[in-house]
Amino acid sequence: MLRRLFVLVALLCLGCSAQSSAPELDRRIEKQVRASFRIPAYVKVQVSPRKASEFPNYDAVNLDFISGEQKQTHEFLISKDGKTLISMTKLDLTKDPYAEVMEKIDIKGRPWRGAKDAKVVAVVYDDFQCPFCTRMHATIFNDVMKTYGDRVKVVYKDYPLFEIHPWAGRAAINSTCLAQQNNGAYWDLADYLHYNGKAVSGDKRPMENQFAELDRITMEFGKKHSVDLAKLQQCVKEQPSEALQASVKEAESVGVNATPAIFVNGIKLDGAVPAPELKAVIDQALRDVGEQAPAASMAAPAAGK
């Protein structure tokens, strides 16, 4: 909504009539900004007092965009005669914006697939009950990672949409219970749930029965991978939510509000993007770290052990 504000230079003519008062000028500023950047009516636009700027013949003025408890502030330049407004974004070329995003994402101890020590990391915020996540899951592992399996590390984190996906939160916790003991067991469960969600939901099955089925499936994969079943059973029964809450909070801190959301070395992709789009971003990330994009497909990666 507000991202279009981040343009290098946009000149907005505020009219040729002389200003009669600061409130009138503020109203003209708000009207032009709302129209030019399509600011919704429910977003409040607040114009700050003018102050000196580093540019001759222009003052600086901040605009606050307020929606509920959220506020974004953007700096503009306004001509001394009050006729022209310039939207400007100052960029610090000494910082890597993508690296700053990745620094906020904690992947320590999270299950992974692909190349363990890859310089390119794709972090996926996932919801096991989300159909678009299932589509993205298939795109990543049935297509993209067949090409990039030896150059990219894929890490999943949780962002269940509790309001519309009632068992997604429990699935996230159960999968973490498995991941604490065995990386491969996590991915077996992740694959199964993404492709067999109806096996959990059933046909109008009561929620407690859905939870019970989810727990049963989790224990089966734990048994398959020879994990400590007593420890797994205790984790599934207690449903510790600290890691899940931390993952949700972290996701929101980097701008996630829906699933799937993917960060490839900090470059964000929203939704179930097609394979060519994801591959193009991975190629860019590889070039950024000094590696060449692969020319041919390779075998699909096995889950990390």
Side-chain angles (χ1 to χ4, degrees), residues 236-287:
V236 168
K237 181 179 179 180
E238 293 180 354
Q239 289 292 294
S241 62
E242 292 82 1
L244 174 56
Q245 292 172 1
S247 183
V248 170
K249 183 177 180 180
E250 173 190 277
E252 292 173 346
S253 76
V254 293
V256 175
N257 55 23
T259 53
I262 307 172
F263 292 85
V264 181
N265 275 17
I267 305 171
K268 188 185 180 196
L269 294 166
D270 290 306
V273 299
E277 184 175 343
L278 178 55
K279 289 179 179 179
V281 172
I282 292 175
D283 287 345
Q284 177 183 333
L286 286 169
R287 289 193 294 270

Side-chain angles (χ1 to χ4, degrees), residues 2-40:
L2 297 180
R3 67 183 61 176
R4 293 187 60 204
L5 290 171
F6 291 94
V7 294
L8 291 179
V9 177
L11 295 178
L12 303 176
C13 179
L14 294 177
C16 298
S17 60
Q19 62 179 11
S20 60
S21 65
E24 179 187 343
L25 179 59
D26 289 353
R27 284 193 294 271
R28 286 192 287 145
I29 290 174
E30 178 179 351
K31 182 181 292 186
Q32 287 286 352
V33 169
R34 283 191 183 278
S36 297
F37 300 117
R38 299 180 183 178
I39 306 299

Side-chain angles (χ1 to χ4, degrees), residues 175-250:
S175 68
T176 299
C177 291
L178 277 174
Q180 289 172 347
Q181 295 198 56
N182 189 285
N183 193 64
Y186 169 91
W187 287 111
D188 272 0
L189 179 63
D191 290 341
Y192 181 87
L193 292 179
H194 274 304
Y195 300 132
N196 301 278
K198 290 184 178 179
V200 177
S201 301
D203 184 14
K204 298 181 179 180
R205 179 182 292 168
M207 187 53 57
E208 60 269 20
N209 291 1
Q210 295 184 41
F211 286 170
E213 178 63 12
L214 186 59
D215 294 350
R216 184 194 68 78
I217 294 169
T218 302
M219 294 303 298
E220 283 296 317
F221 282 117
K223 183 178 180 181
K224 173 184 174 182
H225 287 269
S226 302
V227 306
D228 185 329
L229 293 180
K231 182 178 179 180
L232 177 61
Q233 180 69 59
Q234 182 179 4
C235 185
V236 168
K237 181 179 179 180
E238 293 180 354
Q239 289 292 294
S241 62
E242 292 82 1
L244 174 56
Q245 292 172 1
S247 183
V248 170
K249 183 177 180 180
E250 173 190 277

Side-chain angles (χ1 to χ4, degrees), residues 66-235:
I66 305 169
S67 177
E69 297 181 355
Q70 296 184 338
K71 181 176 78 170
Q72 292 188 25
T73 301
H74 298 282
E75 185 177 74
F76 290 75
L77 296 177
I78 185 167
S79 61
K80 296 287 188 180
D81 60 10
K83 293 181 179 181
T84 305
L85 189 72
I86 298 177
S87 172
M88 257 185 137
T89 300
K90 184 183 291 187
L91 304 178
D92 186 348
L93 300 181
T94 66
K95 296 180 179 180
D96 184 338
Y98 298 137
E100 289 182 344
V101 171
M102 291 302 289
E103 287 174 0
K104 297 179 181 180
I105 300 175
D106 182 11
I107 63 173
K108 183 173 61 177
R110 289 300 300 172
W112 57 272
R113 267 178 171 167
K116 182 178 180 180
D117 299 318
K119 294 181 180 179
V120 174
V121 179
V123 179
V124 182
Y125 287 96
D126 187 55
D127 175 323
F128 287 116
Q129 205 175 344
C130 165
F132 296 102
C133 293
T134 292
R135 186 188 307 174
M136 195 70 253
H137 188 82
T139 296
I140 292 172
F141 297 115
N142 296 340
D143 185 338
V144 174
M145 288 300 281
K146 289 182 179 180
T147 301
Y148 299 90
D150 67 339
R151 304 184 189 210
V152 175
K153 178 179 181 178
V154 177
V155 178
Y156 269 31
K157 301 208 69 175
D158 297 307
Y159 189 76
L161 305 178
F162 302 101
E163 298 82 1
I164 59 175
H165 298 149
W167 56 258
R170 193 177 189 93
I173 292 175
N174 282 13
S175 68
T176 299
C177 291
L178 277 174
Q180 289 172 347
Q181 295 198 56
N182 189 285
N183 193 64
Y186 169 91
W187 287 111
D188 272 0
L189 179 63
D191 290 341
Y192 181 87
L193 292 179
H194 274 304
Y195 300 132
N196 301 278
K198 290 184 178 179
V200 177
S201 301
D203 184 14
K204 298 181 179 180
R205 179 182 292 168
M207 187 53 57
E208 60 269 20
N209 291 1
Q210 295 184 41
F211 286 170
E213 178 63 12
L214 186 59
D215 294 350
R216 184 194 68 78
I217 294 169
T218 302
M219 294 303 298
E220 283 296 317
F221 282 117
K223 183 178 180 181
K224 173 184 174 182
H225 287 269
S226 302
V227 306
D228 185 329
L229 293 180
K231 182 178 179 180
L232 177 61
Q233 180 69 59
Q234 182 179 4
C235 185

